[in-house]
Each structure stands twice: as structure tokens, then as C-alpha cells.
Amino acid sequence: MSGRVQNKVALVTAAGQGIGRAIAQALIAEGGIVIATDLAEDKLDDLKARMRQKLDVRAQDNIEALAKAVAAEFGALDILVNCAGYVANGSVLDCTEKDWDFSFDLNVKSMHRMIKTFLPAMLQKKTGSIVNISSAVSSIRGVPNRYAYGATKAAVIGLTKAVAADFIRQGIRCNAICPGTIESPSLDERIAAQSKATGQSVDVVRQAFVDRQPMGRLGKSAEVAALALFLASDEASYITGQAHLVDGGMAL
């Protein structure tokens, strides 16, 4: 297919790398008018988005300034994709107040901020698709040493369902994507950190991530992006309020 989101205005957070970047690229390839944002603006330089903008999703003033710029140039969003997130390591015994608060602020409250800011214009337009990146590690499945992370990603699923239920009669759809373990720069960083902390080689640590995937391999960002593109498009016009797995069987 081509032109699946032709001329639809789409905003993607954390579009500089990994899943966010793959989603932005997929939307661009299918005709979307993409606003790509990231805290690290330089990571957006070679992305062929209509607008590239530094954005701290933890700062409401940043979000409001972006919303004004988007409204002035493009009008209301058709698509909002919330990808920004952080993986905290450890059990409840390792989790500090700072770990817990930062994880919820970045993984959950950032989505609250983005949706609350951009939803009113979508409601005026009476159409819109919101896609939130959750995880298979959430209310779906627990894994060791993902206490705060799993809690936040479970909250994302609850947030998604609440938004879907509240605005289902007003043209708004809201879905969550729950990836398994996906190849990405952030995964490489976590593997390197775990290798340093445990004294295990990088290869051994990486293989442990592979081994928890029943398919015997890590997922690719493009595989998550394909699902995001579908949910963002009119092909998914009868789908809302659901947590969609793309996890290589991790939740089985």
C-alpha cells in the first residue's frame, strides 16, 4: 500500500532513534505530514519530517509552545504517537523515590501532558488517532527487575483505555502498542550497563535478552512501526482502547 496516511498531520515524540524514529519514518513514507520531536534535537537532523523540534515531554511549557506552533502551521493533529520512555532496572527493593517519580513522569505523565494539550483541537476536528507505546512488560506480563517500568507501562494501558472510553463517540481512537524486546540504541545502552554491573560479557547479556523471546530473536523497530502505522491509519477505524502486542510471543 502507499499513501495510507496521506496528508494526515502526525506528531511523534522520541523520534530521534529506535521505535519512535521507525514510526516517524513509516508515517513519512506513507504520505504523513510528520512533526518529529526529541529531547536530543540533533538526532532528528537527517529525518525527512515536515517539522523537527526539540521537545522535553516532561515540561508543560515546552509542550504548549509546540502546540501553538503546530496549530499555526498545520492546524489540528490527525495522529499523536507517544513514544518517549525510560527503562528503570531493579526490584521494589532497589527502587528509590527518585526512580519511581522519574519513571512515572517520563513514561506516563508525559503522555497525559501530550494528550491533554493536543486532544482539544482533535475533538474540534472530530477525528484523531492516538497511539501510546506501552510494553509487554506491564499488566500483561511481569519480568524480573522491571518493577517501576512494569508499573508505568501498566498505567499506560489504563490511560489508553480511559481516553478511548471517554471520547469514543467524538471521533477519537486511542490504542496502545506493547512491544517485546526490540533492537534499539537504548537496548544497547542497557546491555552495556548490565554487562558493566554484573561483570558478564556484552554477548552473554544480549543473549539473555534474546532467550526470553520465544521466537529466539529480538524484534525490530520497523515491526513495531508497521503496527503503529496501521493503528494510526483509517484501516484501523473500528479499533480503539486496546493493548496490541508485537512481542515475538513473549506474553504466551
Side-chain angles (χ1 to χ4, degrees):
M1 295 184 182
S2 60
R4 295 163 71 187
V5 290
Q6 190 70 38
N7 295 325
K8 290 185 181 291
V9 180
L11 191 156
V12 183
T13 67
Q17 64 182 28
I19 290 171
R21 184 178 185 85
I23 292 173
Q25 289 173 324
L27 292 167
I28 292 166
E30 292 290 339
I33 299 169
V34 173
I35 301 135
T37 71
D38 201 284
L39 184 59
E41 190 176 10
D42 60 303
K43 293 181 179 179
L44 303 171
D45 287 346
D46 59 347
L47 193 60
K48 296 180 180 179
R50 189 69 64 89
M51 177 187 284
R52 298 185 297 273
Q53 183 70 45
K54 180 177 182 178
L55 178 66
D56 181 356
V57 293
R58 299 178 64 215
Q60 184 63 34
D61 58 344
N62 271 211
I63 295 171
E64 289 174 0
L66 176 62
K68 289 179 182 178
V70 169
E73 186 164 351
F74 306 109
L77 297 181
D78 297 293
I79 300 161
L80 171 62
V81 186
N82 289 309
C83 296
Y86 167 74
V87 181
N89 187 60
S91 72
V92 62
L93 299 178
D94 305 307
C95 184
T96 66
E97 288 290 310
K98 183 178 179 180
D99 293 334
W100 182 264
D101 291 344
F102 179 80
S103 294
F104 269 89
D105 195 30
L106 181 53
N107 292 3
V108 186
K109 196 172 181 181
S110 69
M111 296 189 186
H112 158 76
R113 294 185 188 102
M114 293 295 294
I115 293 169
K116 189 168 184 177
T117 301
F118 286 94
L119 179 60
M122 299 169 88
L123 287 169
Q124 287 185 345
K125 197 173 182 178
K126 298 182 180 179
T127 184
S129 176
I130 301 168
V131 180
N132 299 321
I133 301 300
S134 179
S135 175
V137 180
S138 55
S139 54
I140 297 170
R141 180 180 172 184
V143 301
N145 293 315
R146 290 293 182 270
Y147 172 71
Y149 178 75
T152 63
K153 292 303 185 178
V156 169
I157 293 174
L159 176 154
T160 298
K161 288 181 175 290
V163 171
D166 283 337
F167 303 103
I168 194 168
R169 296 292 186 106
Q170 295 165 263
I172 304 301
R173 296 185 298 107
C174 187
N175 288 283
I177 295 178
C178 301
T181 310
I182 305 298
E183 293 178 0
S184 68
S186 64
L187 177 63
D188 292 340
E189 291 170 3
R190 296 199 305 276
I191 288 171
Q194 189 169 328
S195 172
K196 184 177 180 179
T198 63
Q200 296 177 313
S201 71
V202 167
D203 289 342
V204 167
V205 175
R206 180 176 293 276
Q207 189 60 46
F209 279 97
V210 173
D211 289 344
R212 75 182 190 181
Q213 296 295 136
M215 281 191 179
R217 68 171 177 88
L218 301 179
K220 299 181 184 302
S221 294
E223 293 171 311
V224 181
L227 178 55
L229 175 63
F230 168 69
L231 292 172
S233 76
D234 292 339
E235 296 163 31
S237 59
Y238 204 54
I239 300 172
T240 192
Q242 299 305 307
H244 302 266
L245 285 159
V246 53
D247 69 340
M250 188 178 181
L252 288 174

